[in-house]
Amino acid sequence: MAPKKGLLERLDEGVVIGDGGFVFALEKRGYVKAGPWTPEACIEHPEAVRQLHREFLRAGSDVMQAFTFYASDDKLSNRGNESSKKYTCEGINKAACDLAREVADEGGALVAGGLSQTPTYLSGLSKEATQKEFQKQVDVFMKNNVDFLIPEYFEHVEEMVWAIEVCVKSGLPVVASMCIGPEGDLHGVTAGECAVRMAKAGAHVVGLNCHFDPFVTLEGLKKMKAALDAAGIKVHLIAQPLALHTPDAEKQGFIDLPEFPFGLEPRTCTRWDMHRYAREAYDLGVRYIGGCCAFEAYHIRAVAEELSKERGCLPEASQKHEQWAGGLRMHTKPWVRARAGKQYWEKLKPSSGRPFSSAMSKPDCWGVTAGDKILKQKTEATTEEEIVDLKQKGRLMNGK
Amino acid sequence: MAPKKGLLERLDEGVVIGDGGFVFALEKRGYVKAGPWTPEACIEHPEAVRQLHREFLRAGSDVMQAFTFYASDDKLSNRGNESSKKYTCEGINKAACDLAREVADEGGALVAGGLSQTPTYLSGLSKEATQKEFQKQVDVFMKNNVDFLIPEYFEHVEEMVWAIEVCVKSGLPVVASMCIGPEGDLHGVTAGECAVRMAKAGAHVVGLNCHFDPFVTLEGLKKMKAALDAAGIKVHLIAQPLALHTPDAEKQGFIDLPEFPFGLEPRTCTRWDMHRYAREAYDLGVRYIGGCCAFEAYHIRAVAEELSKERGCLPEASQKHEQWAGGLRMHTKPWVRARAGKQYWEKLKPSSGRPFSSAMSKPDCWGVTAGDKILKQKTEATTEEEIVDLKQKGRLMNGK
Amino acid sequence: MAPKKGLLERLDEGVVIGDGGFVFALEKRGYVKAGPWTPEACIEHPEAVRQLHREFLRAGSDVMQAFTFYASDDKLSNRGNESSKKYTCEGINKAACDLAREVADEGGALVAGGLSQTPTYLSGLSKEATQKEFQKQVDVFMKNNVDFLIPEYFEHVEEMVWAIEVCVKSGLPVVASMCIGPEGDLHGVTAGECAVRMAKAGAHVVGLNCHFDPFVTLEGLKKMKAALDAAGIKVHLIAQPLALHTPDAEKQGFIDLPEFPFGLEPRTCTRWDMHRYAREAYDLGVRYIGGCCAFEAYHIRAVAEELSKERGCLPEASQKHEQWAGGLRMHTKPWVRARAGKQYWEKLKPSSGRPFSSAMSKPDCWGVTAGDKILKQKTEATTEEEIVDLKQKGRLMNGK
Amino acid sequence: MAPKKGLLERLDEGVVIGDGGFVFALEKRGYVKAGPWTPEACIEHPEAVRQLHREFLRAGSDVMQAFTFYASDDKLSNRGNESSKKYTCEGINKAACDLAREVADEGGALVAGGLSQTPTYLSGLSKEATQKEFQKQVDVFMKNNVDFLIPEYFEHVEEMVWAIEVCVKSGLPVVASMCIGPEGDLHGVTAGECAVRMAKAGAHVVGLNCHFDPFVTLEGLKKMKAALDAAGIKVHLIAQPLALHTPDAEKQGFIDLPEFPFGLEPRTCTRWDMHRYAREAYDLGVRYIGGCCAFEAYHIRAVAEELSKERGCLPEASQKHEQWAGGLRMHTKPWVRARAGKQYWEKLKPSSGRPFSSAMSKPDCWGVTAGDKILKQKTEATTEEEIVDLKQKGRLMNGK
């Protein structure tokens, strides 16, 4: 067997399909707790993490990203999270790498190690302290031979640049992805400027993940591309958006929407939304196309099916899914058979069955950002009094 | 270890929690094809089926229902489905029983064998021919020592009674569940009358599954209960609805909605909907409470959490889910911490983020039913011409 | 000129088109106060009342109903309304009759005198006291030679029967119309039974007005018709619904909707809704077809246009309105010219431009009815303390 | 009685309240035909036009704008409109001036003469030919002693400047108002640049009317104000928006929305929307605040009530409307009395009662503009074939 091609080589030659989100999927399956988003599932329930990797591999993902989200030491002991008593950053990250590698090898996929924004930075600590947290994760990734690194889910380009600096020292390809939208980062840096700074810091691929739906995310990427072009910088672009519609989100994305995180179901994208996303991303020049929260295997499969001509293949899971609903020809009910075809699904505007709900939400807009006292890391759990106080603050901020 | 209590004993003592839907979940994960809803996944990808069983077990399910939906011989060779060339009814059903038993034994759950309406009946064939199909599945179930039988997903009470007759001969408890709503079966028999006939045919538990949302389903169960009471019949009740909002569905349920089966996402129920469902079902006297299509592990967990006081325990998966969003106290963003509490989620009317979609859909209402020529079984795949013809028919029927 | 045909003769021969609502239209134009719905506009601003009559006449109305709504003496001094200091029931009713007659004579229309439910009844006073209020209005109508009487807007059939008894003594045709829906009156009498009692009390025409949209109203009329048929009673039917969509209203109609009375705009029916209403009413056998609150001249014109073949004529105002949007052929913008045609408008599902609003509302459901202390007549205005108290009560009743 | 203050003096001292729309109101009342928007109503039915003027005067309007919309000679004979056979531009404009003056004198209001964009310009004819049409209307206005001129409803600033040039020669104050939004005119000139050009051409007041809702209109005015400030130009600002919500309209405004002009009802603004509009317009520095299509008397009254403190008075019609729903204290139903207060109505998100409609529409976006062949003036009515052709074109343009 020929040696696997590396990430950059693959991007130069065509499209690389990322995977979907782990924390939302595993929360629904019962293995991850919303809030701390407990990455120790890799140790506690490897079979569940492994199975999710496999679903994405079958769906067409070229990358198995180790499930290391929020697995830095500082996160493991934040606000009542007691994971640090049982698990270490190193232990979790190693287990995650092992699982990713095991499944990646079943299908020739690459393994990526991910790291994200830290409570250390949000608490206003130094560059040195913040980079120390990143270095701990990168050390584990290096020891476990990941194929490349993904610093992702950063809301402040300053911290992102610090992360990239740590990552590039590894010598591995670095994919830098911020969780911001067209309006830019939380300190007011434009999306375009963020892209330029990431590239200048040494990232090989730059782009956006999480926080916004595919189409808002592509608006942000258009701004990034324009700024990179204007600066004469050539790097690849990555998009890994939510599989949730967020036209009503403001600067801070879906976190501000009142439905986050336990009432987001009606916003879930269909597979047909993903066909459109994949096509528009490709046409914009994005070559690393994947997903984040709420992206499940069938969303990734839709991306792979839309781009099957460009990639020259269909994913394994398409054996259970004929293009554009073709399998409905085998349905018992004749009127469902009549829905077998592209035009039907492309035009459908799906209803929510919720006549007492509005189409859009007014986001909470606290607008607090790194450096604000209220964001400081804290080991103890939030008390009842603090909750009451937070609710009151919310009412004042939003004039409710 | 003491011998496991049987189904009827458990129902007499308290609540039995069912599992969720397999075909929709496995379709999204890439193992089942929509249309024929290929149950051969049990043979092809046992790890995927096993994992789904485990998620339901961890979420609180007391029953592992073998994944044998549409696994009768006549279904395996319908309309271009070529499964019958590789697999037999017996092979698939046995594999399904093995997987269900394996996981059930990890947690003291019961194993159920399910059978559903047949192309044979829909094609207008005889009672004898139809019961022969049922007998083949029941034989496998008996050989594999299931704990009870679930004839479910029947739209005509006549066929349901035929199935019950086959099942009762096994000596096992029989749980009979029709996929109808408050308006009754497709031949015009009222929901109440259906319940009475099922009980008189020997079913120990009667009720409803699939086709409608939890609240429409409970409307149907109210009618069943009233009719059973009026007839002086004492049997237990079962509810296993969709996890999809269907206030706009008509007699034939969600199959008629234009979003079926690939655009249903915005209709997905939240966990909070399931709290309400579990409470209302319990208050109505329903004691077998589970789910069907789109019900995932977290929906079942919500049922188990709502009824934790009645059951005296919380499910294992609640280790990753504090009651009523309590885990949000550990969230980084202060305004998300402010959402930790019952009142917030109970009142939320979640938006869809889809301002160009309507809240409700006009269902296709072909209204064809058993005996109609268009429903006849057919081995060959549907042709292009037939699709065009079906679309035209749809336009005429609905005046579009 | 031949003498005008009377109401009953006209109904026997074909369709009689009623007029639209006065209180809502005149409130928007600045002549009537919402709450007491001040009918003294007839004296204060006769030109405004006359103009509204004319618009309905031009639009096709065969009846000019004198604007005497809530013009009984007891209403004029209710809850801070000080009209009774300046005006009398007799004075207002006479002025209203004069205006109606003046315009009716311009176009061969009939004049009707209307009377409605009374604070006297709601306060729990006697039949004698209540009928005395009715008699005062009927006396004015007789003195002013109206062509027939319309006791309308009654929520309790008991009071309605008392009103009919007073009216029939006049010898004029009596059109009895309740403001209830398919669920019946506020004391729990079914819609069908209400119809039968009205007819037995001597009404020549019975039916429904106000409180519900055209299609909910027709559901109620179906029940009335069925009960009358079952009782072997032959009377004509009247429908005068709202021009507001109220699928979400409960027993007490649009008064309970949170938008009443100052946020109802998005519910306003289009002219195309009225085509459908007119056709469905006619097909059901209703022969007195008009409107109530929010019905403006163009809604009545749409009714007249839909029934122009049956009536053998178009209304005068159709000189400014070609059938089914034909006049758009003269529009400057070509894409608006493309909308000239029936199919376009029949299929249109009009958007509200309000993505933060839901499609349906949860009605307040206090469910209080005649005899409840809180409904008692009271001369003094409502105090601040009472308002605070009412809000608190509302929260308790609706669990808000 | 002291001589009336002129427009500019009034604007320097405080707020001037405009009137609402005539064509939509009179179309609904049965006096104007949609499409050609027949201004000959002034001659045919002076009582109807006079009554509408009076309603606005009572509601607080300081200006009676003569109903001369689309009353230029070239409009009277466009696309099958045969008005020119019976009426002349001069005759209609004179009648309109007389009616406006008669009512203005009842309340100390000013009279304005309005002129709008012409088929002549849209057909690509010369500046000279276009200005000749304007001059004919201005001549009539001068002869009839109007107080000022309003060239309004222009989509191209080039034509607007030509109109201003004609108007300024009259020596009267000139109020120049374009029917564009924040995106600028149809030839691509920005809103800011339009404002500057209008002011430089000699307009004393510049701003926006029609085509967009109050809040989109104010977005446009913010851009105009910024550009005027940047250019060091001091003129007053005017806003006369629709009383229809149009967040989904594109560059060409509500004309492109599929609901135009016969399905716009659900978009109608409430009086509470107008309170917000008046306050935001005032805070932005707009001093001429009125309305256009769908603005009825009660909308103008709401503007006057919101600004009553600044103006030192309430309008006459407020005798029938207590501030912020205070009159509901006199309502019979206690739960409606509980709605008497500002907070209730400010927070209300009114429902449409239309669960099968979406919140927003996809506009037709033909994007044709002055100079396009399809916009050329044509005396003959549109034929059936042309309508079919237009529909086909629409489908192609919008990919439907």
Side-chain angles (χ1 to χ4, degrees), chain A residues 30 58 266 268 329 354 382 384, chain B residues 30 58 266 329 354 382 384:
Chain A
R58 279 175 54 80
T268 309
R329 291 179 188 201
R354 288 174 169 88
T382 311
E384 267 316 318
Chain B
R58 278 174 55 79
R329 292 179 187 201
R354 289 174 168 87
T382 311
E384 268 314 318

Side-chain angles (χ1 to χ4, degrees), chain A residues 30 33 58 155 252 256 258 265-266 268 271 298 322 329 333 335 339 344 351 353-354 359 361 382 384, chain B residues 27 30 33 58 155 252 256 258 260 265-266 268 298 322 329 333 335 344 351 353-354 359 361 382 384:
Chain A
K33 183 184 279 195
R58 279 175 54 80
E155 292 172 297
Q252 204 146 224
D256 281 10
E265 282 84 346
T268 309
R271 59 196 74 195
Y298 75 107
E322 293 176 39
R329 291 179 188 201
K333 308 289 187 188
W335 64 93
R339 295 175 193 162
Y344 181 87
S351 299
R354 288 174 169 88
S361 291
T382 311
E384 267 316 318
Chain B
E27 195 279 332
K33 183 184 279 196
R58 278 174 55 79
E155 292 172 298
Q252 203 144 224
D256 281 11
F260 179 88
E265 282 85 346
T268 309
Y298 76 106
E322 291 177 39
R329 292 179 187 201
K333 307 287 188 190
W335 64 93
Y344 180 87
S351 300
R354 289 174 168 87
S361 292
T382 311
E384 268 314 318

Side-chain angles (χ1 to χ4, degrees), chain A residues 27-38 40 44-45 47-48 51 54-55 58 70 75 78-81 117 122 155 186 245 247-248 252 255-263 265-273 296-298 301 316-317 319-322 325 327-340 344-345 348-361 364 366 368 374-375 382-384 387 390-391, chain B residues 27-38 40 44-45 47-48 51 54-55 58 70 75 78-81 117 122 155 186 245 247-248 252 255-263 265-273 296-299 301 316-317 319-322 325 327-340 344-345 348-361 364 366 368 374-375 382-384 387 390-391:
Chain A
E27 194 279 331
K28 288 182 175 173
R29 296 182 185 191
Y31 299 97
V32 156
K33 183 184 279 195
W37 306 114
T38 55
E40 55 266 33
E44 295 174 343
H45 292 285
E47 75 287 0
Q51 172 64 21
R54 269 204 193 112
E55 293 169 17
R58 279 175 54 80
Y70 272 1
K75 284 299 292 188
N78 196 18
R79 296 197 182 275
N81 184 359
Q117 64 184 6
L122 283 179
E155 292 172 297
L186 295 196
H245 286 281
D248 39 358
Q252 204 146 224
I255 312 273
D256 281 10
L257 292 175
E259 291 86 5
F260 179 87
F262 291 139
E265 282 84 346
R267 296 177 176 270
T268 309
C269 293
T270 66
R271 59 196 74 195
W272 320 116
D273 291 323
E296 298 187 32
Y298 75 107
R301 179 175 60 191
E316 199 182 338
Q319 291 167 9
K320 297 297 179 193
H321 188 255
E322 293 176 39
L328 295 184
R329 291 179 188 201
M330 292 185 227
H331 200 277
T332 316
K333 308 289 187 188
W335 64 93
V336 178
R337 294 202 294 275
R339 295 175 193 162
Y344 181 87
W345 295 103
L348 184 78
K349 300 240 172 294
S351 299
S352 70
R354 288 174 169 88
F356 297 102
S357 290
S358 60
M360 309 248 273
S361 291
D364 280 350
W366 288 34
V368 294
I374 209 168
L375 291 175
T382 311
T383 64
E384 267 316 318
I387 295 286
L390 287 169
K391 283 182 187 165
Chain B
E27 195 279 332
K28 288 181 175 176
R29 296 182 186 193
Y31 300 98
V32 156
K33 183 184 279 196
W37 305 114
T38 54
E40 55 267 34
E44 295 175 341
H45 292 285
E47 76 286 1
Q51 172 63 19
R54 269 204 193 113
E55 293 169 16
R58 278 174 55 79
Y70 272 1
K75 283 299 290 187
N78 195 19
R79 296 196 182 276
N81 184 359
Q117 64 184 5
L122 282 180
E155 292 172 298
L186 295 195
H245 287 280
D248 39 358
Q252 203 144 224
I255 312 272
D256 281 11
L257 293 174
E259 290 86 6
F260 179 88
F262 291 139
E265 282 85 346
R267 297 176 176 272
T268 309
C269 293
T270 66
R271 59 196 74 196
W272 319 116
D273 291 324
E296 299 187 31
Y298 76 106
H299 292 117
R301 178 174 62 190
E316 199 183 340
Q319 290 167 10
K320 298 294 179 195
H321 190 255
E322 291 177 39
L328 294 184
R329 292 179 187 201
M330 292 184 227
H331 201 277
T332 316
K333 307 287 188 190
W335 64 93
V336 178
R337 295 202 293 275
R339 296 174 191 162
Y344 180 87
W345 295 102
L348 184 78
K349 302 243 171 292
S351 300
S352 70
R354 289 174 168 87
F356 297 102
S357 289
S358 61
M360 308 249 274
S361 292
D364 281 349
W366 287 33
V368 294
I374 208 167
L375 291 176
T382 311
T383 63
E384 268 314 318
I387 294 286
L390 286 169
K391 283 183 188 164

Side-chain angles (χ1 to χ4, degrees), chain C residues 341-357:
Chain C
K342 180 173 178 177
Q343 207 189 6
Y344 181 88
W345 295 103
E346 251 184 353
K347 279 174 58 181
L348 184 78
K349 301 241 173 292
S351 300
S352 69
R354 289 174 169 87
F356 297 102
S357 289

Side-chain angles (χ1 to χ4, degrees), chain D residues 41-319:
Chain D
C42 291
I43 295 175
E44 295 175 342
H45 292 287
E47 77 286 0
V49 177
R50 184 186 298 116
Q51 171 64 21
L52 188 54
H53 276 307
R54 268 204 194 112
E55 293 169 17
F56 287 125
L57 186 79
R58 277 174 57 79
S61 295
D62 298 310
V63 177
M64 295 293 104
Q65 183 172 343
F67 175 39
T68 60
F69 184 70
Y70 272 1
S72 60
D73 273 329
D74 54 353
K75 285 298 291 187
L76 298 177
S77 58
N78 196 19
R79 296 195 182 277
N81 184 359
E82 306 200 338
S83 297
S84 60
K85 294 190 183 163
K86 296 169 64 181
Y87 307 109
T88 61
C89 163
E90 177 165 359
I92 292 173
N93 280 273
K94 183 189 177 321
C97 288
D98 287 348
L99 288 165
R101 175 64 66 197
E102 175 189 344
V103 180
D105 286 350
E106 295 174 5
L110 298 170
V111 171
L115 46 160
S116 314
Q117 63 184 5
T118 58
T120 302
Y121 177 78
L122 283 179
S123 299
L125 299 192
S126 70
K127 177 173 177 178
E128 198 186 350
T130 307
Q131 288 191 326
K132 201 173 139 191
E133 292 294 326
F134 296 139
Q135 190 64 54
K136 283 195 276 184
Q137 280 191 276
V138 172
D139 287 345
V140 188
F141 295 144
M142 294 300 292
K143 216 181 288 181
N144 285 279
N145 298 312
V146 303
D147 296 307
F148 65 95
L149 298 176
I150 310 189
E152 67 172 2
Y153 200 79
F154 286 81
E155 290 173 299
H156 305 84
V157 72
E158 180 183 52
E159 187 186 13
M160 171 51 106
V161 165
W162 297 351
I164 295 172
E165 288 172 5
V166 172
C167 290
V168 291
K169 285 189 287 175
S170 73
L172 292 175
V174 176
V175 178
S177 176
M178 295 184 70
C179 57
I180 61 172
E183 293 180 65
D185 97 340
L186 295 195
H187 280 151
V189 184
T190 66
E193 174 66 13
C194 288
V196 169
R197 289 197 203 169
M198 289 192 278
K200 287 191 173 164
H204 305 87
V205 182
V206 306
L208 300 172
N209 78 301
C210 204
H211 274 204
F212 295 93
D213 72 31
F215 311 104
V216 176
T217 296
L218 291 181
E219 287 308 306
L221 275 164
K222 277 178 206 161
K223 294 181 185 247
M224 289 190 146
K225 186 170 193 281
L228 291 165
D229 287 350
I233 297 172
K234 278 202 187 326
V235 287
H236 278 293
L237 296 173
I238 180 172
Q240 301 218 90
L242 300 176
L244 301 166
H245 286 281
T246 64
D248 39 359
E250 304 223 354
K251 198 166 182 178
Q252 204 145 223
F254 82 142
I255 312 272
D256 281 11
L257 292 174
E259 292 85 6
F260 178 88
F262 291 139
L264 292 161
E265 282 84 346
R267 296 177 177 269
T268 309
C269 294
T270 66
R271 59 196 76 194
W272 320 115
D273 291 323
M274 294 316 174
H275 273 271
R276 184 156 81 86
Y277 155 58
R279 180 53 52 202
E280 293 185 8
Y282 186 83
D283 288 350
L284 181 62
V286 182
R287 286 296 172 269
Y288 192 139
I289 303 176
C292 200
C293 300
F295 246 88
E296 299 186 30
Y298 76 106
H299 293 116
I300 291 294
R301 179 174 61 190
V303 170
E305 292 185 347
E306 176 65 30
L307 299 173
S308 62
K309 209 170 145 189
E310 285 80 3
R311 288 164 50 88
C313 65
L314 275 171
E316 199 183 338
S318 292
Q319 290 167 10

Side-chain angles (χ1 to χ4, degrees), chain B residues 309-321:
Chain B
K309 209 170 144 190
E310 285 79 2
R311 288 163 51 87
C313 65
L314 275 171
E316 199 183 340
S318 292
Q319 290 167 10
K320 298 294 179 195
H321 190 255

